[in-house]
């Protein structure tokens, strides 16, 4: 069997690895717009100059040299023909397979405001060329505007601070990292960035841009009328699943590709995994979906049931946070907060079940919270303070020595 | 692959294993007698937790068949060694995102508290030819090494 995988990100690579492990005699064709394999989560390290492109490579085995793997790089698929399971770039047929995995991830959203879509000095941050573009434009930029204070916006800010730029960050939400943290935990990061000279405009929108008439933005205008001069703009306002090339293919899409429990699309034999499947926007889930889709492409049926995706870790300037599940309570929830000089901890309980946790400061050994929250396990009946609960309270072993959870 | 098996009832919480782990991974030369137990640089890679009923629960890395930590790793720093089956960590690759800390359901990974630029996890004392130091040091034989079949299934 020949398996065609579009995309060499977290999902595409883990799928290729799983297929060649499951079915060493099958072959895999990878097709990607990317010319290199790199971890998007580290793009800011390329901007800051900490790492070169090779240093972002996350493939740690000989996968790409496998004799049954072919990688067609630098090709952007513009059309997929479901009946023949073939993909095209313009009129050129690039490859076909007995099964297809679509693992094309997402693209940054470019707001249709002023010259943001067209300016030479405005960038998203999702692909390696974006990071290279930012790094190169930054050489001649002093003042940079970043739109969006989520994880990607602050990653960009961190990198540009390393390069000594003067930064202004504009964010629609009233706090930074609004999707990941509550106001209290977010304020700690805001302060760290402000201490480095970053100016924030929170609860503000960019409504227009001013240009030099030669394709460069020279200032952005906010909804309160103020003008912020800049030599460069980075947009980090969110992503959209990369499904443009599926138009007319018959594959059902909504905001993302519509898949069933086996990650199969509306067209038999064509699967989707990772950000493009719309379940999640984090690496671990994309990786897992690639693995599950691969098993299904090989004929072993695996259901994708670990869909929980409201989870993240944050690390800026050595301040660590972990956030899983709800960040703010619903009516009737119990909120427990514990704070000292170095730590902020907030736990949201509903009927004794943890709905969400934020840990800021010490996060070591706290992975069990993800398991407790996603499986809705009661923790108020363990005969101790809920803050003392850990995996040890559910300890049990299987015959092969692996752990299990005993309730 | 080899895995550390745990006889929970035998553990009396003496933490010799923790001292052995700290000693095995300390960066300074010296013996267990001059080991600074309070130095966060010397943290043990496992935990011995009281169960509140006079007993103890030793929680050591399982080097799982399907490791959530390595699955979460966006840099390739965590990898299941195809030969030994143990999950090894390559500090040079690590992007310090700490998604692995969040993803280990047993809480067996922690950021290095001093540098915050790497993680601490069990390496099965990969550089020692003998058994892991924790196992060697347990006077109660509450932990021992066994060979298990490593099925790489979901
Ligand atoms: C700056 C930044 C920081 C991040 N930090 C973190 C973090 O710390 N932790 C975390 O969990 N997540 C983080 N993320 C999110 C994470 O990177 C994604 O969730 C993950 O990369 C998704 O993997 P994927 O395989 O679905 O898609 P992607 O990694 O986006 O890969 C998509 C692949 O498809 C290819 N492709 C796309 N369209 C086409 C086409 N038409 N034709 C051919 N090939 C195509 C691309 O070239 C690429 O190879 C971050 C993202 C960014 C941008
Ligand atoms: S902290 Fe390092 S080892 Fe852990 S998931 Fe992130 S990159 Fe991988």
């Amino acid at each position: 069997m020949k398996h065609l995988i579009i995309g060499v990100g977290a999902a595409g690579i883990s799928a290729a690895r799983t297929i060649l492990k499951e079915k060493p005699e099958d072959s895999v064709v990878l097709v990607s717009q990317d010319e290199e394999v790199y971890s998007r989560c580290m793009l800011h390290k390329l901007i800051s100059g900490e790492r070169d492109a090779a240093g972002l490579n996350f493939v740690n085995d000989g996968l790409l040299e496998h004799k049954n793997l072919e990688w067609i790089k630098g090709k952007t698929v513009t059309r997929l023909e479901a009946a023949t399971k073939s993909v095209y770039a313009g009129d050129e047929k690039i490859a076909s397979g007995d099964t297809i995995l679509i693992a094309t991830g997402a693209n940054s959203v470019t707001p249709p405001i002023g010259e943001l879509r067209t300016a030479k000095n405005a960038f998203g941050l999702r692909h390696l060329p974006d990071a290279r573009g930012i790094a190169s434009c930054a050489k001649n930029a002093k003042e940079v505007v970043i739109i969006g204070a989520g994880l990607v916006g602050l990653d960009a800010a961190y990198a540009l601070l390393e390069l000594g730029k003067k930064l202004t960050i504009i964010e629609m939400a009233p706090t930074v990292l609004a999707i990941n943290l509550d106001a209290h935990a977010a304020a700690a990061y805001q302060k760290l960035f402000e201490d480095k000279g970053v100016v924030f405009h929170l609860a503000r929108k960019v409504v227009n841009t001013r240009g030099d008439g030669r394709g460069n933005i020279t200032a952005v205008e906010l909804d309160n009328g103020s003008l912020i001069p800049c030599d460069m703009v980075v947009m980090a306002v969110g992503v959209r699943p990369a499904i443009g090339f599926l138009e007319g293919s018959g594959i059902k899409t909504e905001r993302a590709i519509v898949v069933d429990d086996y990650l199969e699309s509306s067209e038999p034999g064509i699967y989707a995994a990772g950000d493009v499947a719309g379940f999640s926007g984090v690496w671990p889930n994309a990786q897992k979906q690639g693995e599950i889709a691969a098993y299904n492409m090989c004929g072993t049926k695996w259901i994708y049931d670990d869909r929980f995706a409201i989870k993240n870790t944050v690390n800026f300037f050595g301040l660590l946070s972990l956030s899983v599940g709800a960040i703010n309570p619903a009516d009737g929830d119990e909120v427990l907060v514990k704070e000292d000089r170095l730590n902020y901890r907030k736990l949201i309980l509903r009927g004794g079940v943890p709905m969400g946790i934020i840990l800021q400061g010490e996060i070591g050994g706290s992975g069990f919270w993800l398991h407790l929250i996603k499986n809705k396990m009661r923790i108020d009946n363990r005969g101790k303070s809920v803050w003392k609960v850990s995996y040890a309270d559910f300890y049990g072993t299987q015959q092969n020595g692996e752990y299990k959870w005993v309730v | 692959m080899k895995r550390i098996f745990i006889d929970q009832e035998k553990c009396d919480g003496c933490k010799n294993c923790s001292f052995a782990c700290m000693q095995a991974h300390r960066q300074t030369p010296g013996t267990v007698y001059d080991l600074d137990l309070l130095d966060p640089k010397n943290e043990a890679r496992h935990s011995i937790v009281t169960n509140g009923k006079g007993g103890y629960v030793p929680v050591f890395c399982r080097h799982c068949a399907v490791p959530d930590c390595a699955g979460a790793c966006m840099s390739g720093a965590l990898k299941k060694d195809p030969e030994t089956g143990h999950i090894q960590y390559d500090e040079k690759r690590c992007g310090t995102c700490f998604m692995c800390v969040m993803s280990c359901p047993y809480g067996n990974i922690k950021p290095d508290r001093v540098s915050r630029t790497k993680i601490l996890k069990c390496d099965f004392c990969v550089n020692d030819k003998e058994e892991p130091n924790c196992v060697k040091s347990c006077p109660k034989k509450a932990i021992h090494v066994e060979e298990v079949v490593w099925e790489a299934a979901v």
Side-chain angles (χ1 to χ4, degrees):
Chain A
M1 281 250 277
K2 184 161 108 184
H3 307 275
L4 169 59
I5 298 175
I6 318 171
V8 295
I13 291 291
S14 87
R17 184 177 284 129
T18 306
I19 289 172
L20 292 173
K21 204 171 63 198
E22 274 293 286
K23 300 265 170 172
E25 67 289 353
D26 282 10
S27 62
V28 168
V29 181
L30 290 168
V31 176
S32 69
Q33 183 172 1
D34 279 338
E35 311 235 3
E36 284 132 295
V37 172
Y38 55 90
S39 170
R40 282 166 168 75
C41 313
M42 295 195 285
L43 283 175
H44 52 290
K45 292 183 192 278
L46 183 113
I47 300 173
S48 67
E50 256 169 86
R51 295 193 187 193
D52 57 10
L56 308 187
N57 186 344
F58 64 93
V59 178
N60 56 11
D61 54 14
L63 177 71
L64 296 168
E65 286 78 48
H66 194 289
K67 64 175 180 11
N68 291 345
L69 181 140
E70 181 193 1
W71 176 21
I72 303 170
K73 52 178 117 171
K75 289 277 183 200
T76 303
V77 173
T78 54
R79 187 161 69 84
L80 185 151
E81 203 174 79
T84 58
K85 295 207 177 62
S86 312
V87 295
Y88 294 81
D91 292 333
E92 181 198 356
K93 178 169 164 179
I94 307 172
S96 62
D98 302 310
T99 69
I100 299 186
L101 176 66
I102 303 168
T104 47
N107 290 311
S108 0
V109 171
T110 326
I113 297 168
E115 284 184 85
L116 285 178
R117 290 210 160 151
T118 52
K120 286 184 272 184
N121 63 345
F123 302 87
L125 177 54
R126 177 75 192 186
H127 307 297
L128 190 54
D130 297 332
R132 289 194 170 123
I134 292 171
S136 137
C137 188
K139 288 197 183 113
N140 300 312
K142 281 203 191 74
E143 296 173 285
V144 183
V145 159
I146 298 174
I147 310 176
L151 280 170
V152 174
L154 293 190
D155 274 343
Y158 158 82
L160 291 163
L161 281 176
E162 291 283 294
L163 298 178
K165 306 299 161 193
K166 186 170 173 292
L167 304 181
T168 307
I169 303 183
I170 298 140
E171 167 61 53
M172 247 163 55
T175 63
V176 307
L177 300 170
I179 297 176
N180 313 99
L181 299 174
D182 68 0
H184 186 94
Y189 286 107
Q190 184 180 338
K191 173 144 195 330
L192 286 177
F193 279 94
E194 282 172 345
D195 288 347
K196 311 248 172 212
V198 176
V199 175
F200 286 92
H201 294 270
L202 300 175
R204 284 273 159 256
K205 282 186 198 148
V206 173
V207 293
N208 211 341
T209 61
R210 300 288 158 88
D212 62 0
R214 292 188 306 269
N216 291 302
I217 293 172
T218 52
V220 299
E221 187 185 329
L222 304 191
D223 53 357
N224 61 355
S226 60
L227 267 186
I228 300 168
C230 61
D231 312 308
M232 175 176 156
V233 180
V234 177
M235 295 166 282
V237 296
V239 296
R240 196 168 284 141
I243 54 173
F245 67 101
L246 293 176
E247 213 170 293
S249 68
I251 292 176
K252 196 169 163 220
T253 58
E254 286 167 3
R255 198 182 162 272
I257 297 176
V258 178
V259 292
D260 64 12
D261 282 351
Y262 302 94
L263 301 177
E264 194 168 21
S265 75
S266 60
E267 291 290 328
I270 302 185
Y271 295 77
D275 288 10
V276 79
F279 294 127
S280 59
V282 284
W283 186 278
N285 294 37
Q287 188 283 140
K288 194 73 188 174
Q289 289 164 32
E291 205 174 291
I292 304 261
Y295 280 113
N296 289 318
M297 291 162 78
C298 292
T300 322
K301 287 276 175 195
W302 284 104
I303 288 187
Y304 179 63
D305 53 6
D306 186 4
R307 295 187 179 200
F308 190 87
I310 313 161
K311 56 182 187 186
N312 233 315
T313 48
V314 187
N315 174 15
F316 290 108
F317 309 113
L319 178 64
L320 314 187
S321 301
L322 171 144
S323 165
V324 177
I327 55 175
N328 288 308
D331 275 351
D333 287 355
E334 188 185 351
V335 182
L336 303 173
V337 174
K338 238 178 120 177
E339 225 178 331
D340 59 38
R341 200 168 55 81
L342 298 172
N343 291 285
Y344 169 66
R345 319 191 130 209
K346 177 166 111 177
L347 175 61
I348 300 174
L349 286 174
R350 189 174 304 163
V353 173
M355 303 304 293
I357 183 118
I358 294 174
L359 302 178
Q360 187 167 65
E362 204 60 69
I363 66 166
S366 61
F368 60 87
W369 283 112
L370 174 56
H371 189 95
L372 294 173
I373 290 170
K374 79 177 172 193
N375 294 300
K376 303 196 165 60
M377 296 171 80
R378 259 187 97 153
I379 57 168
D380 64 337
N381 54 0
R382 311 305 304 186
K384 54 161 80 160
S385 151
V386 289
W387 294 112
K388 291 267 163 65
V389 168
S390 74
Y391 168 68
D393 296 289
F394 301 89
Y395 176 90
T397 53
Q398 307 174 37
Q399 203 143 41
N400 66 3
E402 290 221 12
Y403 292 138
K404 59 183 179 188
W405 292 73
V406 180
V407 182
Chain B
M1 65 170 264
K2 292 190 163 61
R3 177 171 286 147
I4 296 173
F5 275 65
I6 303 162
D7 289 308
Q8 192 232 318
E9 298 78 33
K10 288 192 190 161
C11 173
D12 70 357
C14 75
K15 294 200 179 181
N16 268 358
C17 55
S18 305
F19 304 142
C21 182
M22 294 162 111
Q23 171 65 17
H25 296 99
R26 71 188 281 179
Q27 267 129 38
T28 50
T31 67
V32 74
Y33 299 105
D34 63 26
L35 177 71
D36 181 355
L37 301 178
L38 296 177
D39 185 347
K41 266 196 232 132
N42 296 340
E43 264 189 273
R45 267 71 168 156
H46 58 255
S47 46
I48 307 295
V49 188
T50 56
N51 70 0
K53 297 171 214 140
Y56 294 86
V57 187
V59 187
F60 288 75
C61 175
R62 299 294 76 203
H63 296 275
C64 301
V66 183
D68 285 347
C69 58
C73 181
M74 56 78 163
S75 70
L78 286 171
K79 176 182 174 183
K80 193 164 183 70
D81 187 298
E83 250 106 268
T84 63
H86 295 144
I87 317 297
Q88 295 298 358
Y89 169 63
D90 179 352
E91 189 182 327
K92 288 193 296 299
R93 273 184 177 266
C94 176
T96 60
C97 68
F98 302 123
M99 289 295 263
C100 53
V101 173
M102 182 184 71
S103 301
C104 173
Y106 314 117
N108 274 322
I109 303 189
K110 37 196 164 186
D112 170 48
R113 276 202 281 165
V114 183
S115 71
R116 289 165 196 247
T117 58
K118 61 178 179 192
I119 57 153
L120 303 180
K121 88 166 280 299
C122 168
D123 61 359
F124 219 81
C125 292
V126 63
N127 296 322
D128 284 338
K129 285 187 189 57
E130 299 164 70
E131 297 196 304
N133 287 282
C134 53
V135 171
K136 276 193 287 187
S137 74
C138 178
K140 296 279 174 187
K141 301 271 179 281
I143 42 179
H144 68 277
V145 171
E146 262 181 49
E147 190 70 36
V148 288
V149 186
W150 152 35
E151 322 144 48
V154 179

